[in-house]
């Protein structure tokens, strides 16, 4: 029954590799940009606060598929030539996921007491030093469960790059399905792969959550 | 009549109740006191089957609580219960809190349930707060509503689980007044409380529990003026200063 | 910037494209609301299963949530749409595939079942925040388990869960965009369709973005009203 999987195994795994590559760039970029977005969302400078808040609130109201299309359409106009699906998808994902990671970082920064930040300044550190050595590391640590959960969501989201023709796992499953019409096995297999990765991720997140809870009890 | 016959209860390895015996006659008011963790609250929850017990027997009007064939839901209609933290339904008004069980369990009409509820609200002195939500009421007011909610099912017995221990001192009296009035009207009551003034006024018997056992029992005068055990003496000295 | 590109914003209102976008919005609202009804019904059921005292029911509830939230919605949608009919055997599947509007039914069901797992999770957190004595207080008035959940615990938990449910309600409308991949003509599909016909996808998708923004803002307004109506007095003041 699962011969369709074994015959096309290399082809499908190639798709999974693309899925992982896209997820990797989306996460590195999304988390990196998200750290800054979170800082900007707490900024007292209106020239920083309002534009970034507008960007976050705007994108969080838009479906990711549409955002992918939009970047796919706008990038050629900016760079003057057609853009391949992969880099277009990476750019769309970074800007989209950064709004979600940004809100997580913001919540993380807000758990840090004003006095702690004052203490950092009192030792002579600048704002960017305080952000880099105090705010970001603490937020990363305290928000680990939420960051993992959002990373799982990002990993699942990469399947949507399907719509601009990126040959990731789902696209390749559908290519094989178009030729062999074995939908149950093919989509069942894709679902299984995603489940394994995401379930493992959610258990790791749960572990950190319980660990954090224990620390707080003491 | 509630007959408690040598009941034992364990939480895993922890022996919460050991050979507890007690008989409460119709019309009697029994006060249970003792240090925290002595099993008082657990005992109440065994009587109306909210918590299972492993050995012994409890009979309410001859119906065995531990018997798996017993319909506990039917049994609980007979026994009202009042909790330490009131446990009013926060999304319902005082009136809605009171009429819910009569309407759904006793299948009373809305009018009948509301008439009864108004009567009870008057009895506990809360008739002007029928439409108030719990969060807008003081602790004492919430507890009086909770008592009215239990009485609405017209129970034969009332159990109180430290009904005043979560209250500010100035509110304790308003709740105790309602309880005294109930006892004097002949309600059969089982009260976990440390309010010795209340015990003096209404208790037919006081039970002192420690580490899951009944250590001492007697009338108010016997217990208060002439405690037999060191543990009871220590306990009394602690709650009286 | 490549200035060779000639913007043509008229694709947002020009005949027939303006009407396409409006029809798309109508479909998005229809799909989102229908899926929401299924999601609430299934979500409440599954969420309640997860806290019953029966181990088997709890396991079923947990399995449901884990499966539905650890598989991308797109994969679930493809599975229901392409593989779903096959599960009924060859003869029946051919009949199912001939059904008018099959993609729409699958969309609503797929989206509803997926969202249900998220609602169940939020509800479980709501249940967990209700103290044990509150449950016992309900039982002590003689109510049955079913009555307890139906009249007190579920309405209470739902009210506690209104803020996360608002986010989910917004998400349902955003997630409807995924069903364009199985050919349902909702808003994103229509904006893409405009690109196929005019090569002005940038304008079309930009327009669609603002329509989603307006839709989102209306949903937030609507949920504000719901929250005002149902908020627990004094407990969830803002």
């Amino acid at each position: 029954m699962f011969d369709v999987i074994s015959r096309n195994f290399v082809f499908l795994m190639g798709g999974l590799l693309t899925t992982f590559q896209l997820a990797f760039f989306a996460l590195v970029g999304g988390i990196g940009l998200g750290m800054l977005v979170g800082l900007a969302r707490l900024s007292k400078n209106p020239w920083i606060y309002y534009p970034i808040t507008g960007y976050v609130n705007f994108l969080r109201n838009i479906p990711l598929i549409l955002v992918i299309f939009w970047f796919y359409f706008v990038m050629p106009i900016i760079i003057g030539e057609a853009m391949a699906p992969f880099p277009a998808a990476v750019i769309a994902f970074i800007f989209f996921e950064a709004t979600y990671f940004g809100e997580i970082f913001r919540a993380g920064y807000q758990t840090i007491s004003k006095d702690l930040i004052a203490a950092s300044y009192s030792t002579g550190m600048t704002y960017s030093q305080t952000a880099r050595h105090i705010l970001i590391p603490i937020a990363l640590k305290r928000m680990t469960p939420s960051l993992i959960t959002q990373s799982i969501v990002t990993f699942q989201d990469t399947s949507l790059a399907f719509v601009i023709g990126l040959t990731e796992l789902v696209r390749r499953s559908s290519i094989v399905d178009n030729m062999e019409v074995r939908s149950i096995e093919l989509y069942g297999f894709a679902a299984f792969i995603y489940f394994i990765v995401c379930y493992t991720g959610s258990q790791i997140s749960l572990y950190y959550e319980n660990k954090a809870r224990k620390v707080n009890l003491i | 009549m509630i007959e408690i016959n040598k009941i034992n209860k364990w939480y895993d390895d922890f022996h919460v109740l050991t050979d507890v015996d007690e008989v409460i006659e119709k019309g009697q008011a029994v006060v249970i006191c003792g240090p925290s963790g002595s099993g008082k609250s657990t005992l109440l929850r065994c009587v109306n089957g909210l918590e299972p017990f492993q050995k012994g027997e409890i009979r309410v009007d001859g119906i065995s609580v531990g018997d798996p064939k017993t319909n506990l839901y039917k049994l609980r209609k007979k026994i009202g219960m009042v909790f330490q933290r009131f446990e009013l339904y926060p999304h319902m008004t005082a009136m809605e809190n009171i009429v819910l069980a009569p309407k759904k369990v006793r299948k009373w009409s809305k009018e009948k349930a509301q008439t009864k509820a108004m009567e009870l609200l008057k009895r506990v002195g809360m008739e002007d707060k029928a439409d108030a939500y719990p969060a807008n009421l003081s602790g004492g007011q919430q507890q009086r509503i909770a008592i009215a909610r239990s009485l609405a099912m017209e129970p034969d017995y009332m159990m109180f689980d430290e009904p005043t221990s979560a209250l500010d001192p100035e509110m304790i009296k308003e709740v105790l007044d309602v309880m005294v009035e109930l006892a004097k009207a002949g309600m059969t009551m089982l009260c976990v409380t440390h309010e010795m003034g209340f015990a003096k006024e209404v208790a037919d018997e006081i039970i002192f529990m420690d580490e899951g056992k009944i250590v001492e029992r007697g009338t108010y005068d016997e217990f208060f003026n002439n405690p037999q055990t060191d543990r009871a003496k220590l306990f009394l000295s602690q709650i009286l200063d | 910037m490549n200035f060779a590109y000639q913007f043509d914003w008229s694709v947002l209102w020009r005949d027939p494209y303006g009407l396409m976008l409006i029809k798309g919005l109508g479909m998005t609202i229809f799909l989102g609301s229908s899926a929401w009804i299924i999601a609430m019904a299934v979500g409440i059921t599954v969420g309640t299963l997860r806290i019953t005292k029966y181990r088997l029911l709890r396991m079923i509830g947990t399995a449901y949530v884990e499966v539905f939230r650890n598989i991308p919605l797109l994969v679930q949608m493809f599975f229901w749409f392409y593989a779903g009919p096959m599960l009924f055997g060859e003869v029946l599947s051919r009949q199912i595939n001939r059904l008018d509007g099959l993609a729409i039914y699958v969309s609503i069901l797929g989206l509803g079942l997926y969202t249900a797992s998220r609602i169940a999770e939020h509800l479980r957190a709501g249940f967990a925040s209700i103290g044990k004595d509150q449950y016992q207080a309900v039982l002590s008035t003689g109510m049955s388990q079913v009555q307890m959940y139906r009249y007190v615990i579920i309405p209470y938990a739902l009210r506690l869960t209104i803020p996360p449910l608002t986010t989910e309600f917004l998400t349902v409308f955003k997630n409807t965009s995924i069903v364009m991949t199985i050919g349902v003509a909702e808003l994103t599909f229509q904006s893409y369709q405009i690109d196929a016909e005019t090569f002005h996808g940038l304008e079309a998708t930009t327009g669609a973005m603002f329509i989603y923004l307006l839709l989102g803002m209306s949903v937030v307004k609507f949920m504000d009203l719901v929250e005002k109506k149902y908020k627990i007095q004094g407990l969830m003041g803002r």
Side-chain angles (χ1 to χ4, degrees):
Chain A
M1 177 183 183
F2 285 99
D3 59 299
V4 62
I5 305 294
S6 52
R7 272 186 286 109
N8 297 289
F9 193 72
V10 175
F11 181 70
L12 291 172
M13 286 299 111
L16 181 61
L17 182 65
T18 306
T19 294
F20 272 115
Q21 283 169 335
L22 177 54
F24 174 78
F25 286 113
L27 285 176
V28 171
I31 291 175
L33 187 57
M35 288 172 183
L36 303 180
V37 167
L39 288 173
R41 294 272 287 124
L42 295 171
S43 170
K44 289 193 181 70
N45 182 342
W47 294 99
I48 295 174
Y49 174 80
Y50 286 106
I52 297 299
T53 301
Y55 147 72
V56 169
N57 288 342
F58 185 79
L59 275 200
R60 283 172 68 99
N61 271 295
I62 314 292
L64 175 55
I65 290 200
L66 196 58
V67 176
I68 296 172
F69 277 138
W70 192 83
F71 275 94
Y72 193 54
F73 291 137
V74 84
M75 286 318 289
I77 298 170
I78 294 173
I79 62 171
E81 55 182 287
M83 196 177 211
F86 189 82
V90 167
I91 293 169
F93 272 96
I94 289 176
F95 279 102
F96 183 81
E97 303 293 346
T99 65
Y100 288 83
F101 282 114
E103 289 303 272
I104 295 173
F105 276 105
R106 181 174 73 125
Y109 299 145
Q110 283 176 323
T111 65
I112 301 169
S113 79
K114 291 221 165 23
D115 279 355
L116 187 81
I117 299 168
S120 165
Y121 286 138
S122 74
T123 63
M125 286 214 279
T126 62
Y127 174 76
S128 61
Q129 286 169 328
T130 303
R132 193 174 145 208
H133 299 290
I134 311 291
L135 296 177
I136 291 173
I138 294 180
L140 265 176
K141 194 150 187 230
R142 292 197 182 156
M143 302 312 282
T144 304
S146 307
L147 291 170
I148 296 175
T149 304
Q150 185 58 35
S151 302
I152 297 169
V153 173
T154 303
F155 182 74
Q156 295 190 11
D157 281 348
T158 58
S159 62
L160 297 180
F162 172 97
V163 296
I164 52 170
L166 184 74
T167 52
E168 41 69 71
L169 179 59
V170 184
R171 185 101 216 172
R172 290 200 178 193
S173 306
S174 95
I175 291 171
V176 178
D177 189 41
N178 281 338
M179 294 184 299
E180 307 202 15
V181 197
R182 300 287 289 275
S183 311
I184 297 179
E185 295 91 329
L186 284 161
Y187 294 122
F189 178 69
F192 175 74
I193 299 271
Y194 276 105
F195 180 82
I196 296 294
V197 174
C198 298
Y199 184 75
T200 311
S202 72
Q203 292 308 107
I204 295 173
S205 163
L206 207 62
Y207 165 79
Y208 278 107
E209 215 170 291
N210 289 334
K211 205 170 107 176
R213 200 169 295 146
K214 269 183 208 136
V215 171
N216 286 340
L217 280 179
I218 295 167
Chain B
M1 186 164 72
I2 299 175
E3 301 153 276
I4 301 168
N5 191 358
K6 287 223 179 322
I7 70 155
N8 282 267
K9 177 175 173 63
W10 288 265
Y11 284 123
D12 296 321
D13 288 342
F14 182 55
H15 205 163
V16 220
L17 294 174
T18 311
D19 290 336
V20 174
D21 271 320
E22 174 64 15
V23 175
I24 300 133
E25 302 279 355
K26 265 264 148 68
Q28 268 195 336
V30 173
V31 164
I32 308 172
C33 59
S36 69
S38 58
K40 311 169 303 253
S41 298
T42 311
L43 178 62
L44 292 193
R45 284 164 170 75
C46 288
V47 171
N48 64 355
L50 287 173
E51 297 265 1
F53 49 91
Q54 285 78 30
K55 251 176 74 184
E57 194 179 37
I58 298 178
R59 287 180 175 276
V60 177
D61 294 342
I63 303 164
S64 166
V65 178
D67 185 345
K69 287 197 288 288
T70 300
N71 184 339
L72 288 176
Y73 300 110
K74 230 168 132 183
L75 177 83
R76 287 182 194 134
K77 290 188 220 170
K78 286 174 181 286
I79 311 170
M81 184 160 178
V82 174
F83 294 77
Q84 189 176 1
R85 301 240 22 126
F86 334 130
E87 309 301 342
L88 291 177
Y89 314 141
H91 56 302
M92 296 181 186
T93 62
M95 175 60 85
E96 287 164 350
N97 263 280
I98 299 172
V99 298
L100 183 69
K103 265 167 45 186
K104 301 302 175 190
V105 180
R106 289 225 184 272
K107 312 284 181 207
W108 285 1
S109 71
K110 193 177 160 195
E111 292 71 34
K112 186 176 178 194
Q114 283 185 339
T115 311
K116 175 80 185 174
M118 251 353 260
E119 196 181 290
L120 288 166
L121 281 168
K122 277 200 194 94
R123 189 167 173 190
V124 299
M126 293 288 296
E127 63 270 34
D128 53 333
K129 296 289 186 191
D131 295 322
Y133 282 89
N136 296 334
L137 297 172
S138 74
Q141 291 174 322
Q142 289 191 54
Q143 194 60 298
R144 285 187 281 155
I145 303 282
I147 294 172
R149 179 177 69 181
S150 300
L151 291 175
M153 289 297 287
E154 301 183 332
D156 299 327
Y157 305 92
M158 283 290 283
M159 300 200 295
F160 294 83
D161 184 12
E162 306 205 29
T164 56
S165 63
L167 296 177
D168 292 332
E170 73 271 18
M171 292 169 190
I172 291 178
K173 189 174 175 302
E174 65 187 58
V175 172
L176 289 180
D177 284 349
V178 171
M179 292 169 62
V180 168
E181 186 266 329
L182 255 181
K184 296 211 160 137
M187 174 62 75
T188 313
M189 291 167 54
L190 195 51
C191 313
V192 172
T193 182
H194 294 165
E195 295 295 335
M196 285 301 137
F198 169 76
K200 181 177 186 182
E201 199 164 346
V202 304
D204 295 293
E205 186 185 27
I206 296 184
I207 299 173
F208 174 69
M209 286 182 73
D210 190 25
E211 295 179 348
K213 298 187 191 91
I214 294 181
V215 180
E216 211 161 308
R217 68 176 85 217
T219 63
Y220 175 82
D221 285 333
E222 286 164 358
F223 177 66
F224 193 76
N225 297 326
N226 190 16
Q228 301 297 310
T229 59
D230 290 343
R231 275 184 288 185
K233 280 176 198 157
L234 178 68
F235 175 76
L236 280 170
S237 73
Q238 280 165 344
I239 62 165
L240 290 177
D241 54 46
Chain C
M1 187 63 96
N2 176 5
F3 289 100
Y5 186 80
Q6 294 289 317
F7 282 94
D8 177 10
W9 292 99
S10 74
V11 295
L12 294 180
W13 54 83
R14 209 166 74 204
D15 198 42
Y17 307 118
L19 195 62
M20 278 168 70
L21 288 175
I22 290 173
K23 278 188 182 159
L25 174 64
M27 180 57 92
T28 291
I29 293 173
F30 169 70
L31 293 175
S33 333
S34 315
W36 184 252
I37 293 168
I38 293 180
M40 284 295 276
V42 178
I44 290 171
T45 311
V46 174
T48 312
L49 284 186
R50 297 194 72 185
I51 57 154
T52 54
K53 48 184 183 179
Y54 305 104
R55 195 153 159 262
L56 181 70
L57 292 182
R58 282 207 307 272
M59 278 165 60
I60 293 172
T62 306
Y64 182 97
V65 170
E66 292 298 349
V67 166
F68 278 88
R69 71 170 190 179
N70 283 315
I71 296 170
L73 178 55
L74 180 71
V75 177
Q76 294 183 28
M77 218 44 107
F78 280 4
F79 188 86
W80 297 132
F81 187 63
Y82 296 110
M86 292 183 189
L87 296 172
F88 292 93
E90 207 169 321
V91 184
L92 255 174
S93 98
R94 231 174 271 142
Q95 284 179 357
I96 294 174
N97 278 324
R98 270 202 301 268
L99 272 180
D100 266 346
L102 174 67
I104 293 177
Y105 300 132
V106 171
S107 301
I108 293 172
L109 198 68
L111 197 52
L113 294 179
Y114 170 79
T115 308
S117 70
R118 308 180 54 98
I119 291 177
E121 231 1 44
H122 293 308
L123 213 52
R124 190 171 70 126
F127 287 137
S129 67
I130 301 174
K132 191 182 168 203
D133 269 6
Q134 182 83 70
Y135 290 83
Q136 297 199 331
V138 189
L139 290 176
S140 79
T141 65
M143 277 197 254
S144 67
Q145 290 274 341
V146 174
Q147 286 174 325
M148 171 178 82
Y149 284 117
R150 177 158 163 216
Y151 297 117
V152 181
I153 302 297
I154 290 177
Y156 182 15
L158 277 177
R159 282 166 172 80
L160 291 176
T161 322
I162 286 177
L165 286 186
T166 302
T167 313
E168 286 311 324
F169 193 44
L170 275 169
T171 309
V172 164
F173 289 104
K174 285 191 283 173
N175 279 341
T176 53
S177 61
I178 280 177
V179 305
M180 71 165 288
T181 55
I182 55 172
V184 176
E186 46 65 66
L187 186 52
T188 303
F189 180 95
Q190 298 285 25
S191 69
Y192 190 70
Q193 201 57 35
I194 294 175
D195 176 68
E197 292 178 23
T198 65
F199 300 106
H200 282 285
L202 180 60
E203 294 89 327
T205 47
T206 306
M209 277 185 176
F210 279 96
I211 299 176
Y212 275 110
L213 186 69
L214 285 177
L215 177 63
M217 291 184 340
S218 323
V219 169
V220 169
K221 264 269 157 315
F222 172 74
M223 287 305 281
D224 266 355
L225 293 179
V226 171
E227 187 166 348
K228 274 212 189 73
K229 180 157 189 265
Y230 286 107
K231 90 167 175 191
I232 299 170
Q233 294 268 326
L235 202 71
M236 298 199 312
R238 281 204 300 186

